């Protein structure tokens, strides 16, 4: 799975979130709350399917190119508001009576869309599933120890749909009985869910609706510009991977050879606008360290550290350093954050009851603001607890789905025996709770880290006879459960703050997941059929496919075949990732805000520096914008970024169709050194 950038990695421990105060401004005294069935509408589901398809395409494109995926929750809420408001306004002008568009319906749409495109991320289409294919096997090398021809399963539409259906729903049932504990008793903040709720609440006020209309216009403007620009770029991209604006040596041919160039990608610039400044700067720093210093240094020792005549994608050469050092940083960062969040979780659970005893008695405070906060909280609690989800339904659903999955997964992946799957489902609820609690505190989901742990354990236990496939499949099983459980709890928090029924949130998650089980594989297959997925020299490198397959091989074979000094460098960067993370936690905020994030630094080590340049351009634009007009930047930066990303994503569809029809761009714009006079 790619690297998903959280909204706020800092730990938040507020027991009475400030969002309650915000809510008092926008919650009407006698606001009518629709029944849970009224919150789920046909028009809402239609809009959810449309936006889910668009966001699946965007997620696949990011997953298969760089592996960094920003949160699109704001765009989902904004576009859902825009489509339904436009539709109801159009019908009203024609004289039809339309049902009012409520914030509860808006929340259901946003939940459904996020559940749908979340499967494009956690479904493994850029990581563990595609790591099983023949191209990744050949890229690593048929003679590479532990890389066996028997461990190949090429993507197939029907088995991918079936696999997602049998693994994607268990996480939704695993923690449903704890929704009251997580949201009301522990009062976990879930920063992204809270931010999304406040956004949706603001849309459905007079002043908020006006701002939302302006944001939609802004999004539409930049979506159109991005779409037109992507279409224009296509005409110059020629045949092959060396033509067009994607290979424009903007910083000179010398730096271009080391992948330092601006490739005019609206998607990556948009990611730079959405991602925090420290993430973008971390990515650029990682590119400078790797492609500016480390790889040129290692290349100077070709013939000594590794054979000089190896191909550019041979793991016994420079390519091996790129992949394994990136893996070392990712594992170091993931291990540190896993231990930290488990420690924070245990600490919070142990101190929760005593903290409750020390809370101020809000009921005894007589000022108007405090009484209003209490009224809002009481109203939210009442709505949240009104529509119960029976414990028996949740338990029987989990047990039934686990039984079906245990019987089905070995048919899809024979090396993963039924008892491994069953053991996974016994421990999965505990891991799902840890991940959901940690996400509620820090906004950082460690689903991929839990998946990698399962990958190493199962691959090492199964061994050389099918261990690669078994490990990758086990990674998918574990990741799907802990990821969807955390997403559901975050949506419960959003629903709680928007007065949406818990039952409508659960049902919309089920519907969105069902949509994703079909839409995510279909949209991936569009990419698979139209483009050369996995080509290390092409635009769709699928970087995490190689990384995940190598992790499975490492679990079986160890480090015997690494190039000279590669293991020592891996140890060094692994320890460096731990130290940098520790410094981020122990230094004061005014210092730690400038310390880079190792996970973000690791991505360009393998992929290249070009997308880091694009994202840095985005962060510079945002930085200057914030200095000129902070309010405008806060209000419209997300809309601009979403427009750039969505426009480029929409162009992927006609581009794929043209590729399938074998219609090539008419012009190849190519750059080479001038001839010496």
């Amino acid at each position: 799975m790619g690297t998903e950038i959280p909204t706020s990695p800092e730990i938040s421990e507020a027991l009475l979130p400030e969002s309650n105060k915000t809510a008092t401004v926008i919650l009407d005294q006698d606001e009518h709350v629709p029944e849970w069935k009224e919150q789920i509408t046909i028009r809402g589901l239609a809009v959810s399917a449309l936006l889910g398809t668009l966001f699946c395409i965007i997620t696949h494109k990011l997953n298969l190119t760089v592996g960094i995926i920003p949160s699109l929750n704001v765009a989902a809420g904004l576009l859902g508001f825009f489509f339904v408001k436009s539709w109801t306004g159009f019908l009203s002008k024609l004289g039809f009576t339309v049902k009012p568009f409520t914030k509860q319906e808006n929340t259901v749409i946003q939940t459904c869309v996020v559940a749908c495109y979340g499967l494009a991320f956690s479904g493994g289409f850029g990581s563990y599933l595609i790591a099983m294919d023949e191209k990744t096997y050949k890229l690593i090398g048929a003679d590479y120890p532990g890389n066996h021809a028997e461990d190949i399963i090429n993507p197939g539409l029907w088995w991918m749909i079936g696999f997602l259906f049998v693994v994607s729903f268990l996480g939704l049932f695993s923690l449903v009985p704890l929704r009251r504990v997580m949201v009301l008793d522990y009062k976990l903040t879930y920063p992204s869910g809270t931010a999304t709720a406040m956004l949706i609440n603001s849309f459905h006020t007079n002043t908020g609706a006006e701002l939302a209309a302006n944001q939609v216009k802004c999004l539409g403007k930049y979506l159109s510009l991005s779409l037109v620009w992507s279409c224009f770029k296509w005409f110059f991209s020629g045949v092959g991977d060396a033509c067009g604006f994607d290979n424009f040596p903007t910083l000179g041919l010398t730096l271009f050879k080391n992948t330092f160039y601006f490739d005019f990608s609206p998607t990556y610039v948009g990611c730079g606008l959405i991602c925090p400044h420290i993430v973008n700067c971390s990515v650029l720093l990682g590119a400078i360290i790797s492609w500016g210093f480390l790889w040129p240094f290692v290349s100077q020792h070709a013939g000594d550290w590794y054979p000089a005549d190896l191909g550019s994608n041979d793991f016994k050469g420079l390519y091996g350093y790129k992949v394994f050092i990136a893996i070392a940083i990712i594992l170091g960062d993931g291990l540190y954050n896993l231990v930290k969040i488990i420690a924070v979780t245990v600490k919070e659970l142990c101190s929760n009851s005593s903290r409750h005893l020390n809370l101020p008695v809000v009921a005894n405070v007589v000022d108007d603001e405090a009484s209003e906060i209490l009224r809002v909280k009481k109203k939210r609690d009442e709505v949240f607890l009104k529509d119960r989800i029976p414990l028996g339904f949740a338990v029987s659903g989990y047990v039934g789905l686990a039984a079906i999955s245990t019987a089905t997964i070995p048919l899809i992946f024979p090396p993963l025996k039924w008892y491994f799957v069953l053991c996974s489902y016994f421990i999965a609820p505990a891991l799902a709770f840890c991940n959901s609690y940690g996400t509620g505190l820090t906004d950082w989901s460690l689903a991929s880290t839990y998946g990698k742990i399962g990958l190493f354990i199962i691959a090492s236990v199964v061994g050389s006879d099918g261990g690669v496939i078994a490990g990758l499949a086990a990674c998918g099983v574990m990741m799907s459960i802990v990821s969807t459980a955390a997403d559901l709890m975050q949506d419960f928090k959003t629903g709680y703050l928007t007065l949406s029924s818990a039952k409508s949130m659960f049902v919309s998650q089920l519907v969105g997941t069902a949509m994703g089980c079909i839409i995510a594989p279909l949209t991936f297959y569009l990419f698979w059929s139209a483009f050369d997925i996995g080509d290390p020299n092409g635009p769709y490198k699928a970087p995490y496919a190689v990384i995940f397959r190598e992790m499975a091989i490492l679990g079986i074979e160890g480090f015997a075949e690494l190039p000279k000094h590669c293991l020592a460098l891996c140890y060094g960067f692994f320890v460096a990732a731990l130290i940098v993370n520790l410094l981020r936690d122990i230094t004061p905020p005014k210092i730690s805000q400038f310390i880079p994030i190792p996970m973000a630094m690791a991505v360009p080590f393998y992929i290249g520096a070009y997308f880091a340049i694009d994202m840095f351009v985005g962060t510079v634009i945002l930085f200057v914008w914030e200095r000129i007009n902070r309010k405008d930047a806060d209000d419209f930066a997300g809309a601009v970024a979403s427009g750039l990303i969505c426009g480029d994503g929409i162009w992927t569809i006609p581009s794929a169709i043209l590729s399938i029809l074998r219609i090539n761009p008419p012009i190849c714009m190519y750059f080479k050194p001038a001839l010496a006079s």
Side-chain angles (χ1 to χ4, degrees):
M1 187 166 71
T3 303
E4 187 169 22
I5 303 301
T7 301
S8 173
E10 292 82 14
I11 295 176
S12 175
E13 300 183 4
L15 276 182
L16 287 176
E18 291 187 5
S19 57
N20 285 340
K21 295 183 181 180
T22 307
T24 61
V25 179
I26 55 179
L27 245 154
D28 297 332
Q29 180 74 27
D30 300 315
E31 180 177 353
H32 170 68
V33 178
E35 292 296 321
W36 75 269
K37 292 182 179 178
E38 297 175 0
Q39 297 173 20
I40 304 172
T41 63
I42 298 298
R43 70 187 180 193
L45 296 180
V47 169
S48 300
L50 177 64
L51 293 179
T53 302
L54 172 61
F55 286 172
C56 276
I57 291 171
I58 293 170
T59 303
H60 285 317
K61 181 172 182 178
L62 290 169
N63 232 347
L64 296 171
T65 50
V66 298
I68 290 182
I69 302 172
S71 174
L72 299 173
N73 292 20
V74 171
L78 184 60
L79 286 173
F81 176 84
F82 166 68
F83 277 115
V84 177
K85 273 291 187 182
S86 299
W87 177 247
T88 55
F90 175 72
L91 291 181
S92 297
K93 289 180 180 179
L94 295 179
F96 291 97
T97 302
V98 293
K99 183 180 179 181
F101 181 44
T102 64
K103 63 184 179 184
Q104 287 82 10
E105 186 180 356
N106 204 161
T107 304
V108 165
I109 293 172
Q110 189 269 342
T111 298
C112 207
V113 172
V114 172
C116 180
Y117 88 79
L119 287 186
F121 179 71
S122 64
F125 298 101
S127 55
Y128 61 84
L129 284 189
I130 199 172
M132 303 177 185
D133 79 332
E134 186 176 3
K135 181 168 288 185
T136 307
Y137 159 77
K138 290 181 177 178
L139 186 60
I140 292 176
D143 59 342
Y144 191 84
N147 190 37
H148 304 302
E150 295 79 19
D151 292 324
I152 295 175
I153 298 179
N154 285 313
L157 186 60
W158 296 112
W159 76 255
M160 289 190 300
I161 291 175
F163 173 70
L164 289 184
F165 266 109
V166 296
V167 301
S168 299
F169 291 91
L170 279 104
L172 302 181
F173 287 89
S174 61
L175 294 186
V176 166
L178 298 180
R179 65 186 177 89
R180 174 172 181 162
V181 174
M182 305 285 266
V183 176
L184 298 185
D185 295 343
Y186 292 158
K187 293 183 172 64
L188 296 174
T189 53
Y190 289 101
S192 287
T194 299
T196 303
M198 295 301 100
L199 179 76
I200 292 174
N201 280 335
S202 71
F203 287 166
H204 297 270
T205 62
N206 292 332
T207 54
E210 183 179 349
L211 175 60
N214 291 330
Q215 288 174 327
V216 166
K217 290 178 183 177
C218 180
L219 187 149
K221 174 184 174 181
Y222 284 92
L223 184 151
S224 302
L225 288 174
S226 176
L227 179 60
V228 170
W229 172 247
S230 299
C231 177
F232 176 76
K233 283 203 309 178
W234 178 84
F235 283 93
F236 297 89
S237 56
V239 179
D241 303 314
C243 304
F245 287 93
D246 291 342
N247 295 278
F248 197 111
T250 44
L251 302 177
L253 289 170
T254 301
L255 287 175
F256 178 79
K257 291 178 182 178
N258 282 346
T259 71
F260 284 95
Y261 59 93
F262 178 67
D263 74 346
F264 299 92
S265 168
T267 294
Y268 303 149
V269 175
C271 289
L273 283 166
I274 289 181
C275 294
H277 293 306
I278 187 60
V279 171
N280 299 315
C281 293
S282 299
V283 171
L284 182 62
L285 179 60
I288 293 171
I289 291 173
S290 56
W291 292 89
F293 295 100
L294 185 59
W295 304 150
F297 172 76
V298 173
S299 299
Q300 291 175 0
H301 293 80
D304 178 17
W305 290 10
Y306 60 91
D309 57 348
L310 295 177
S312 61
N313 300 315
D314 195 312
F315 273 85
K316 296 176 182 177
L318 181 61
Y319 194 66
Y321 292 92
K322 295 177 183 178
V323 171
F324 286 106
I325 290 176
I327 290 175
I329 298 172
I330 290 170
L331 291 179
D333 185 280
L335 178 63
Y336 179 90
N337 282 288
L338 176 65
V339 173
K340 182 182 80 172
I341 288 182
I342 289 177
V344 170
T345 300
V346 172
K347 176 185 173 184
E348 291 294 306
L349 288 174
C350 292
S351 63
N352 190 271
S353 57
S354 61
R355 285 199 314 183
H356 271 292
L357 293 175
N358 295 326
L359 280 176
V361 182
V362 181
N364 292 337
V365 180
V366 295
D367 64 275
D368 292 340
E369 183 180 1
S371 62
E372 181 66 7
I373 291 175
L374 184 61
R375 184 192 68 80
V376 170
K377 183 182 182 304
K378 183 178 179 182
K379 177 74 171 177
R380 285 172 171 163
D381 291 353
E382 178 186 326
V383 172
F384 189 71
L385 297 175
K386 178 183 176 184
D387 298 313
R388 295 179 60 249
I389 302 172
L391 175 63
F393 173 75
V395 173
S396 60
Y398 185 84
V399 172
L401 288 170
I404 295 171
S405 184
T406 301
T408 305
I409 288 179
L411 300 178
I412 303 173
F413 307 112
L416 186 62
K417 303 302 182 184
W418 65 269
Y419 41 86
F420 290 128
V421 181
L422 188 61
C423 289
S424 299
Y425 289 144
F426 272 117
I427 65 173
L431 298 180
F433 173 80
C434 291
N435 190 49
S436 298
Y437 197 100
T439 303
L441 290 171
T442 66
D443 210 27
W444 192 286
S445 174
L446 295 179
S448 62
T449 302
Y450 288 107
K452 289 165 193 164
I453 292 172
L455 185 157
F456 277 115
I457 293 173
I458 298 298
S460 60
V461 170
V462 175
S464 58
D465 187 16
V468 170
I469 293 296
L472 292 170
C475 173
V477 170
M478 194 61 65
M479 241 164 66
S480 296
I481 294 175
V482 297
S483 176
T484 53
D487 289 344
L488 178 64
M489 283 300 158
Q490 187 137 250
D491 287 331
F492 276 145
K493 181 70 174 185
T494 303
Y496 171 75
L497 294 174
T498 58
L499 295 180
S500 302
S501 166
K503 188 174 287 187
S504 70
M505 291 292 93
F506 182 68
V507 172
S508 60
Q509 266 279 354
L510 288 175
V511 173
T513 302
M515 288 180 180
C517 289
I518 298 172
I519 294 173
L522 283 173
T523 49
F524 169 77
Y525 221 71
L526 176 69
F527 282 87
W528 182 258
S529 303
F531 306 113
D532 190 10
I533 304 298
D535 179 6
N537 300 313
Y540 295 98
K541 296 177 176 64
Y544 282 91
V546 170
I547 288 174
F548 270 68
R549 190 174 183 95
E550 275 293 352
M551 286 181 182
I553 294 172
L554 282 178
I556 300 169
E557 298 291 331
F559 301 95
E561 292 296 318
L562 296 184
K564 191 176 181 180
H565 301 305
C566 183
L567 185 58
L569 287 170
C570 288
Y571 284 143
F573 278 96
F574 180 87
V575 173
L578 298 177
I579 293 173
V580 171
N581 271 302
L582 182 62
L583 289 174
R584 284 179 55 83
D585 284 338
I586 64 175
T587 53
K590 63 181 180 181
I591 298 175
S592 64
Q593 63 178 329
F594 298 111
I595 299 177
I597 301 171
M599 183 73 77
M601 292 176 63
V603 179
F605 270 68
Y606 171 59
I607 299 170
Y610 60 93
F611 79 96
I613 303 292
D614 292 12
M615 292 180 67
F616 188 71
V617 168
T619 211
V620 169
I621 292 171
L622 180 60
F623 181 81
V624 174
W625 192 357
E626 287 173 338
R627 292 301 174 272
I628 296 173
N629 190 327
R630 181 77 190 210
K631 186 177 185 305
D632 263 12
D634 291 342
D635 288 343
F636 295 104
V640 172
S642 299
L644 292 174
I645 294 171
C646 292
D648 199 22
I650 290 172
W651 172 249
T652 303
I653 301 173
S655 174
I657 294 172
L658 290 170
S659 179
I660 292 171
L661 296 176
R662 300 293 184 263
I663 299 175
N664 297 315
I667 304 169
C668 174
M669 183 173 67
Y670 178 75
F671 297 87
K672 62 180 182 179
L675 295 175
S677 56

